[in-house]
Each structure stands twice: as structure tokens, then as C-alpha cells.
Amino acid sequence: MSWLNKLPGYQRTPYGFEWRLLKRLPHVLLAGTLLPALAAWLARFLLTQGSASEIERRVQAFDFLMVGIVAFVWTAVLTVGIGCIIVWLMKGPAYVADGYEVSHSDKPKL
């Protein structure tokens, strides 16, 4: 008994934008992580005006902003990746379920 019967005559849809986007997501994830980390590291050298506590407060606020950007990028990449996988799966071959007899098929109940 075959669990998955392919729909006869079904043609697969060719891969499109979702496949190209799925291939780019690791690069976006890497850049979206490294660039804010680099900016947070550079902030320690560029924010030098003011007292020590003021500099520390500004650097810490900038670090929080960079962590927020990284979290946003990771969430966006995960969401777009799930969407791409769903579209990719939906473009796959179509399957049909096995038919079964219905007792009232010749006289449907209303």
C-alpha cells in the first residue's frame, strides 16, 4: 500500500524568488550579526567626549541598540526562511489521498 500517491499529470512549478532568497539568508544573518558587533566595538573608541560615567552610559545605550538590531535581524531571517520553506514545499509534487466509499454517496444527505 502506497501512502503517498502523486496526482497524475501534475507538473512541478519551477523554483523562483523563494529559492534565491533562501540561499541569501545565511549571508544576511552573518552580516546582520557582524556589522552591529563591529559598530558596538567601534563605539568604545569613538565615544570619548564627556565624563567616564557619561561615556559608559552612552556606550551601554549603543550596545543595547545593537543587540536589538541583531535580535530584529535574526527574527526577520527566521520568519522569511520559514516563509520560503513553506512556498518551496507548496511548489512540490501534489499528492492525493486514497478514496473511500461513502454510504450515502448516491443519495446525499442535506
Side-chain angles (χ1 to χ4, degrees):
M1 171 192 260
S2 175
W3 281 82
L4 299 173
N5 298 319
K6 289 187 181 181
L7 187 65
Y10 179 80
Q11 295 179 351
R12 289 184 74 143
T13 306
Y15 299 126
F17 180 68
E18 78 281 351
W19 191 246
R20 289 180 295 191
L21 191 58
L22 198 57
K23 286 182 182 178
R24 291 182 185 163
L25 285 180
H27 301 288
V28 171
L29 187 65
L30 185 64
T33 303
L34 291 181
L35 290 178
L38 180 63
W41 180 73
L42 284 175
R44 280 141 175 75
F45 301 108
L46 298 176
L47 298 175
T48 57
Q49 305 261 332
S51 65
S53 62
E54 190 176 317
I55 293 171
E56 184 179 348
R57 184 182 57 80
R58 279 196 230 147
V59 168
Q60 187 178 25
F62 192 75
D63 286 346
F64 288 154
L65 178 66
M66 293 300 109
V67 168
I69 290 173
V70 168
F72 172 75
V73 168
W74 286 1
T75 305
V77 166
L78 178 68
T79 304
V80 171
I82 290 171
C84 289
I85 290 171
I86 289 171
V87 170
W88 176 59
L89 288 173
M90 289 175 66
K91 286 184 173 184
Y95 294 97
V96 304
D98 292 332
Y100 60 94
E101 291 294 322
V102 180
S103 62
H104 61 276
S105 63
D106 55 341
K107 298 177 190 172
K109 296 179 183 178
L110 298 176

